[in-house]
């Protein structure tokens, strides 16, 4: 199964994507996470992406499509994939269609996660991320057992620099301009699109997602 998690920053794509991928035995492919690893490792991609990410802008399509092709290309034909944060533009969606057609696959389900901006802003202001294992917490809703320390691996948690209020505002604008139109794009392309109310507790949102995915 190929599932796309669409939605604005902070709506819970990462939180839900990890849980869904585990439930259906799929690979969770989060382009934001892959870019942050590339930055940390100082690769050419990481260096090219850095400025765009810091400003809350999108990284150029070609870099992202090459990255996704590298990850998805070698996967077994039966391997499910949960895309999180990709595609984010119409050209990325078209490129994904091409990559999947080449391996005789298609997008099976698009989950459009929705919540109001004030919810997103509050979630992003409280988000704390583990730079080592990628676990995500929230100081308001899902704090770690020990303040500032990752429950899973013990690393010091960070507040992502692009979660500061000015960059969050820009990321929300970019979402509305470039990514939200993908909901119509997929509706027109006849991929099943399910809208999910993401302003509910994590387990309730996950239950709706699993129902939509038939899992
Ligand atoms: P995205 O990947 O869409 O940017 P995340 O999954 O990182 O979003 O979630 C953003 C923040 O909101 C994180 O701090 C996460 O712990 C928190 N969060 C996610 N889902 C919920 C929820 N249903 N209720 C409360 N907080 C949530
Ligand atoms: P995320 O972790 O999904 O919030 O992404 C963090 C940042 O990485 C975004 O603000 C973009 O700068 C960049 N990014 C992640 N995924 C993509 C994508 N599919 N296309 C372009 N830029 C991306």
């Amino acid at each position: 199964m190929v599932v796309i998690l669409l939605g604005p920053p902070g709506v819970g794509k990462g939180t839900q994507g990890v849980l869904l991928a585990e439930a259906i035995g799929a690979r969770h492919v989060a382009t934001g996470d892959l870019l942050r690893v590339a930055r940390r490792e100082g690769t050419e991609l990481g260096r090219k992406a850095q400025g765009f990410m810091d400003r809350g802008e999108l990284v150029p399509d070609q870099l992202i499509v090459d990255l996704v092709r590298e990850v998805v290309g070698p996967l077994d034909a039966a391997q499910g994939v949960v895309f999180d944060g990709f595609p984010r533009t119409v050209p990325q969606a078209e490129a994904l269609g091409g990559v999947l057609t080449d391996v005789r696959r298609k997008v099976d389900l698009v989950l459009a996660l929705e919540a109001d901006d004030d919810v997103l802003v509050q979630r992003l202001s409280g988000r704390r991320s583990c730079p080592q294992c990628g676990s995500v917490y929230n100081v308001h809703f899902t704090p770690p057992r020990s303040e500032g320390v990752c429950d899973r691996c013990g690393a010091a948690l960070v507040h992502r620099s692009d979660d500061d209020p000015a960059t969050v505002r820009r990321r929300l604008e970019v979402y509305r301009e470039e990514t939200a139109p993908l909901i119509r794009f997929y509706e027109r392309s006849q991929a099943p699109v399910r809208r999910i109310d993401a302003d509910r507790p994590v387990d309730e949102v996950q239950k709706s997602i699993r129902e939509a995915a038939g899992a």
Side-chain angles (χ1 to χ4, degrees), residues 6-17 28 30 33 36 84-85 88 113 119-120 122-129 136-143 160 163 171 197-206:
L6 263 183
V11 78
K13 300 181 297 298
T15 303
Q16 299 296 338
H28 175 227
D33 289 347
R36 279 183 290 277
D84 157 3
R88 255 174 155 104
L113 273 54
V119 172
L120 304 174
Q122 196 196 12
R123 285 187 185 174
L124 292 173
S125 72
R127 173 158 65 182
R128 298 293 180 274
S129 314
V136 175
Y137 302 87
N138 195 289
V139 295
H140 309 297
F141 308 111
T142 51
R160 276 170 48 178
D163 281 346
R171 288 164 62 207
D197 173 8
D199 185 10
R200 293 178 294 152
V202 171
D203 53 346
E204 283 184 30
V205 177
Q206 180 63 201

Coordinates of all heavy atoms in Angstrom, one line a residue, residues 6-17 28 30 33 36 84-85 88 113 119-120 122-129 136-143 160 163 171 197-206, ligand 1:
L6 N -1.0 14.0 4.0 CA -0.9 15.4 3.6 C -1.4 16.3 4.8 O -2.3 15.8 5.6 CB -1.9 15.7 2.5 CG -1.5 15.7 1.1 CD1 -2.7 16.0 0.2 CD2 -0.4 16.7 0.9
G7 N -0.9 17.5 4.9 CA -1.4 18.3 6.0 C -0.4 19.4 6.4 O 0.8 19.2 6.1
P8 N -0.8 20.4 7.0 CA 0.1 21.5 7.4 C 1.1 21.1 8.4 O 0.9 20.1 9.1 CB -0.9 22.6 7.9 CG -2.1 21.8 8.4 CD -2.2 20.6 7.5
P9 N 2.1 21.9 8.6 CA 3.1 21.6 9.7 C 2.4 21.6 11.0 O 1.6 22.4 11.3 CB 4.1 22.8 9.6 CG 3.5 23.8 8.7 CD 2.5 23.1 7.8
G10 N 2.8 20.6 11.8 CA 2.3 20.5 13.2 C 1.0 19.7 13.3 O 0.5 19.5 14.4
V11 N 0.4 19.3 12.2 CA -0.9 18.6 12.3 C -0.8 17.2 12.8 O -1.8 16.6 13.2 CB -1.6 18.7 10.9 CG1 -1.1 17.6 9.9 CG2 -3.1 18.6 11.0
G12 N 0.4 16.7 12.8 CA 0.6 15.3 13.4 C 1.0 14.3 12.4 O 0.9 13.1 12.6
K13 N 1.5 14.7 11.2 CA 1.9 13.7 10.2 C 3.0 12.7 10.7 O 2.9 11.5 10.5 CB 2.4 14.4 8.9 CG 1.4 15.4 8.3 CD 2.0 16.0 7.0 CE 3.2 16.9 7.2 NZ 2.9 18.0 8.1
G14 N 4.0 13.2 11.3 CA 5.1 12.4 11.8 C 4.6 11.4 12.9 O 4.8 10.2 12.9
T15 N 3.8 12.0 13.9 CA 3.3 11.2 15.0 C 2.4 10.1 14.4 O 2.6 8.9 14.8 CB 2.4 12.1 15.9 OG1 3.3 13.2 16.3 CG2 1.9 11.4 17.1
Q16 N 1.5 10.4 13.5 CA 0.6 9.4 13.0 C 1.3 8.5 12.0 O 1.0 7.3 11.9 CB -0.6 10.1 12.3 CG -1.4 11.0 13.3 CD -2.1 10.2 14.4 OE1 -2.3 9.0 14.3 NE2 -2.4 10.9 15.5
G17 N 2.2 9.0 11.2 CA 2.9 8.2 10.2 C 3.7 7.1 10.8 O 3.7 5.9 10.3
H28 N 8.2 4.1 6.7 CA 7.8 5.5 6.9 C 8.8 6.4 6.2 O 10.0 6.4 6.6 CB 7.7 5.8 8.4 CG 7.4 7.2 8.8 ND1 8.1 7.9 9.7 CD2 6.5 8.1 8.3 CE1 7.7 9.1 9.9 NE2 6.7 9.3 9.0
A30 N 9.8 10.1 5.6 CA 9.5 11.5 5.9 C 10.6 12.4 5.3 O 11.8 12.3 5.8 CB 9.4 11.7 7.4
D33 N 12.6 14.5 7.8 CA 13.6 13.8 8.6 C 14.8 13.5 7.7 O 16.0 13.6 8.2 CB 13.0 12.4 9.1 CG 11.9 12.7 10.1 OD1 11.8 13.8 10.6 OD2 11.2 11.7 10.4
R36 N 17.0 16.5 7.4 CA 17.7 16.8 8.7 C 18.9 15.9 8.9 O 19.9 16.4 9.3 CB 16.7 16.8 9.9 CG 15.9 18.1 10.0 CD 15.0 18.2 11.2 NE 13.9 17.2 11.1 CZ 12.8 17.5 10.4 NH1 12.6 18.6 9.8 NH2 11.8 16.6 10.4
D84 N 5.3 11.0 4.3 CA 5.0 12.0 5.3 C 5.8 13.3 4.9 O 7.0 13.3 4.9 CB 5.4 11.5 6.7 CG 5.7 12.5 7.7 OD1 5.5 13.7 7.5 OD2 6.0 12.1 8.8
G85 N 5.0 14.3 4.5 CA 5.7 15.6 4.1 C 6.2 15.5 2.7 O 6.9 16.4 2.2
R88 N 4.9 17.8 -1.8 CA 4.5 19.1 -1.2 C 4.1 20.1 -2.3 O 3.7 21.2 -2.0 CB 5.6 19.6 -0.3 CG 5.4 19.5 1.2 CD 6.6 20.0 1.8 NE 6.6 20.5 3.1 CZ 6.9 19.8 4.2 NH1 7.3 18.5 4.2 NH2 7.0 20.4 5.4
L113 N -4.9 15.4 6.7 CA -5.0 15.7 8.2 C -5.3 17.2 8.3 O -4.7 18.0 7.7 CB -3.8 15.4 8.9 CG -3.7 13.9 9.4 CD1 -3.8 12.9 8.3 CD2 -2.3 13.7 10.1
V119 N -4.3 25.7 16.7 CA -3.9 24.4 17.2 C -2.4 24.1 16.7 O -1.6 23.6 17.4 CB -4.8 23.3 16.7 CG1 -4.3 21.9 17.1 CG2 -6.2 23.5 17.3
L120 N -2.2 24.3 15.4 CA -0.9 24.0 14.8 C 0.2 24.9 15.5 O 1.3 24.3 15.8 CB -0.9 24.3 13.3 CG -2.0 23.6 12.5 CD1 -2.0 24.2 11.0 CD2 -1.8 22.1 12.5
Q122 N 0.2 26.2 18.4 CA 0.5 25.7 19.8 C 1.3 24.4 19.8 O 2.2 24.3 20.6 CB -0.9 25.5 20.6 CG -0.6 25.4 22.1 CD -1.8 24.9 22.8 OE1 -2.7 24.3 22.2 NE2 -1.8 25.0 24.1
R123 N 0.9 23.5 18.9 CA 1.7 22.3 18.9 C 3.1 22.5 18.5 O 4.0 21.9 19.1 CB 1.0 21.3 17.8 CG -0.2 20.7 18.3 CD -0.7 19.7 17.3 NE -2.0 19.1 17.7 CZ -2.7 18.3 17.0 NH1 -2.2 17.9 15.8 NH2 -3.9 17.8 17.4
L124 N 3.4 23.4 17.5 CA 4.8 23.6 17.0 C 5.6 24.3 18.1 O 6.8 24.0 18.3 CB 4.8 24.3 15.7 CG 4.2 23.5 14.5 CD1 4.1 24.4 13.3 CD2 5.0 22.3 14.3
S125 N 4.9 25.2 18.9 CA 5.7 25.9 19.9 C 6.1 25.0 21.0 O 7.2 25.2 21.6 CB 4.9 27.1 20.5 OG 3.9 26.6 21.3
G126 N 5.3 23.9 21.2 CA 5.7 22.9 22.3 C 6.4 21.7 21.8 O 6.7 20.8 22.6
R127 N 6.7 21.6 20.5 CA 7.3 20.4 19.9 C 8.8 20.3 20.4 O 9.5 21.3 20.3 CB 7.2 20.4 18.4 CG 8.0 19.2 17.8 CD 7.6 18.8 16.4 NE 7.8 19.9 15.4 CZ 7.5 19.8 14.2 NH1 6.9 18.7 13.7 NH2 7.7 20.7 13.3
R128 N 9.2 19.2 20.8 CA 10.6 18.9 21.1 C 10.9 17.6 20.4 O 10.2 16.7 20.5 CB 10.8 18.7 22.6 CG 10.5 20.0 23.5 CD 11.4 21.1 23.2 NE 11.1 22.3 24.0 CZ 10.2 23.2 23.7 NH1 9.5 23.1 22.6 NH2 10.0 24.3 24.5
S129 N 12.1 17.7 19.7 CA 12.5 16.5 18.9 C 13.8 16.0 19.3 O 14.7 16.7 19.8 CB 12.6 17.0 17.4 OG 11.5 17.8 17.1
V136 N 9.5 12.3 18.8 CA 8.9 13.6 18.9 C 8.0 13.7 20.1 O 7.2 12.8 20.4 CB 8.0 14.0 17.6 CG1 7.3 15.3 17.8 CG2 8.9 14.0 16.4
Y137 N 8.2 14.8 20.9 CA 7.4 15.0 22.1 C 6.7 16.4 22.0 O 6.9 17.1 21.1 CB 8.3 15.0 23.3 CG 9.1 13.8 23.5 CD1 10.3 13.6 22.8 CD2 8.7 12.7 24.3 CE1 11.1 12.4 22.9 CE2 9.4 11.5 24.4 CZ 10.6 11.4 23.7 OH 11.3 10.3 23.8
N138 N 5.9 16.7 23.0 CA 5.3 18.0 23.1 C 5.2 18.4 24.6 O 4.6 17.6 25.4 CB 3.9 18.0 22.5 CG 3.4 19.4 22.2 OD1 3.1 20.1 23.2 ND2 3.4 19.8 21.0
V139 N 5.7 19.6 24.9 CA 5.8 20.0 26.3 C 4.4 20.2 26.9 O 4.2 20.0 28.1 CB 6.6 21.2 26.6 CG1 8.1 21.0 26.2 CG2 6.1 22.4 25.8
H140 N 3.4 20.5 26.0 CA 2.0 20.7 26.5 C 1.3 19.3 26.6 O 0.4 19.2 27.5 CB 1.2 21.6 25.6 CG 1.9 22.9 25.2 ND1 2.2 23.8 26.2 CD2 2.3 23.4 24.1 CE1 2.8 24.8 25.6 NE2 2.9 24.6 24.3
F141 N 1.4 18.5 25.6 CA 0.6 17.3 25.5 C 1.2 16.0 25.8 O 0.6 15.1 26.3 CB 0.0 17.3 24.1 CG -0.7 18.6 23.7 CD1 -0.1 19.4 22.7 CD2 -1.8 19.0 24.3 CE1 -0.7 20.6 22.3 CE2 -2.4 20.2 23.9 CZ -1.8 21.0 22.9
T142 N 2.4 15.8 25.3 CA 3.1 14.5 25.5 C 4.5 14.7 25.9 O 5.5 14.4 25.1 CB 3.1 13.7 24.1 OG1 3.6 14.5 23.1 CG2 1.7 13.2 23.8
P143 N 4.8 15.2 27.1 CA 6.1 15.5 27.6 C 6.9 14.2 27.8 O 6.4 13.2 28.1 CB 5.9 16.2 28.9 CG 4.6 15.8 29.4 CD 3.7 15.5 28.2
R160 N 13.1 22.6 17.4 CA 13.6 22.9 16.0 C 13.6 24.4 15.7 O 12.7 25.1 16.0 CB 12.7 22.2 15.0 CG 13.1 20.7 14.8 CD 12.0 20.0 14.0 NE 11.6 20.7 12.7 CZ 10.7 20.2 11.9 NH1 10.2 19.0 12.1 NH2 10.3 20.8 10.8
D163 N 10.7 25.9 14.1 CA 9.5 26.0 14.9 C 9.4 27.3 15.6 O 8.5 27.5 16.5 CB 9.4 24.8 15.9 CG 9.0 23.5 15.2 OD1 8.5 23.6 14.0 OD2 9.1 22.5 15.8
R171 N 5.9 29.0 7.1 CA 5.7 27.6 6.7 C 4.2 27.3 6.4 O 3.8 26.6 5.5 CB 6.2 26.6 7.7 CG 7.8 26.5 7.7 CD 8.3 25.9 8.9 NE 8.0 24.6 9.1 CZ 7.9 24.0 10.3 NH1 8.1 24.7 11.4 NH2 7.5 22.7 10.4
D197 N -10.1 14.6 10.8 CA -10.0 15.6 11.8 C -8.9 15.3 12.8 O -9.0 14.3 13.6 CB -11.4 15.7 12.6 CG -11.3 16.6 13.8 OD1 -10.3 17.4 13.9 OD2 -12.3 16.6 14.5
A198 N -7.8 16.1 12.7 CA -6.6 15.8 13.5 C -6.5 16.5 14.8 O -5.6 16.4 15.5 CB -5.3 16.1 12.7
D199 N -7.6 17.3 15.1 CA -7.7 18.0 16.4 C -8.3 17.2 17.4 O -9.4 17.5 18.0 CB -8.4 19.4 16.2 CG -8.3 20.2 17.4 OD1 -7.6 19.9 18.3 OD2 -9.1 21.3 17.4
R200 N -7.8 16.0 17.6 CA -8.3 15.1 18.6 C -7.1 14.4 19.2 O -6.0 14.4 18.7 CB -9.2 14.0 18.0 CG -10.5 14.6 17.4 CD -11.4 13.6 16.7 NE -10.7 13.1 15.5 CZ -10.9 11.9 15.0 NH1 -11.7 11.0 15.6 NH2 -10.3 11.6 13.9
P201 N -7.3 13.6 20.3 CA -6.1 12.9 20.9 C -5.5 12.0 19.9 O -6.2 11.5 19.0 CB -6.7 12.1 22.1 CG -8.0 12.9 22.4 CD -8.5 13.5 21.1
V202 N -4.2 11.7 20.1 CA -3.4 10.9 19.1 C -4.0 9.6 18.8 O -4.1 9.2 17.6 CB -2.0 10.7 19.7 CG1 -1.2 9.7 18.8 CG2 -1.2 12.0 19.8
D203 N -4.5 8.9 19.8 CA -5.1 7.5 19.6 C -6.4 7.6 18.8 O -6.6 6.7 18.0 CB -5.2 6.7 20.9 CG -6.0 7.5 21.9 OD1 -6.2 8.7 21.8 OD2 -6.4 6.8 22.9
E204 N -7.2 8.6 19.0 CA -8.4 8.7 18.2 C -8.1 9.0 16.8 O -8.8 8.5 15.9 CB -9.3 9.9 18.8 CG -10.0 9.5 20.1 CD -11.0 10.6 20.5 OE1 -11.5 11.4 19.7 OE2 -11.1 10.7 21.8
V205 N -7.2 9.9 16.5 CA -6.8 10.2 15.2 C -6.3 9.0 14.5 O -6.6 8.6 13.3 CB -5.7 11.4 15.1 CG1 -5.3 11.6 13.7 CG2 -6.3 12.6 15.8
Q206 N -5.4 8.2 15.2 CA -4.8 7.0 14.6 C -5.9 6.0 14.3 O -5.9 5.3 13.3 CB -3.8 6.4 15.6 CG -3.1 5.1 15.2 CD -2.3 5.3 13.9 OE1 -2.0 4.3 13.3 NE2 -1.9 6.5 13.6
Ligands
LIG1 P1 4.0 17.2 11.6 O1 4.9 16.0 11.3 O2 2.7 17.2 10.9 O3 4.7 18.5 11.5 P2 4.2 16.2 14.4 O4 3.7 14.8 14.3 O5 5.7 16.5 14.6 O6 3.6 17.1 13.2 O7 3.4 16.9 15.6 C1 3.6 18.3 16.0 C2 3.6 18.4 17.5 O8 2.3 18.2 18.0 C3 4.5 17.4 18.2 O9 5.0 18.0 19.4 C4 3.5 16.3 18.6 O10 4.0 15.6 19.8 C5 2.2 17.0 18.8 N1 1.0 16.3 18.5 C6 0.9 15.5 17.4 N2 -0.4 15.0 17.3 C7 -1.0 15.5 18.4 C8 -2.4 15.3 19.0 N3 -3.3 14.6 18.3 N4 -2.7 16.0 20.1 C9 -1.7 16.8 20.7 N5 -0.5 17.0 20.3 C10 -0.1 16.3 19.2

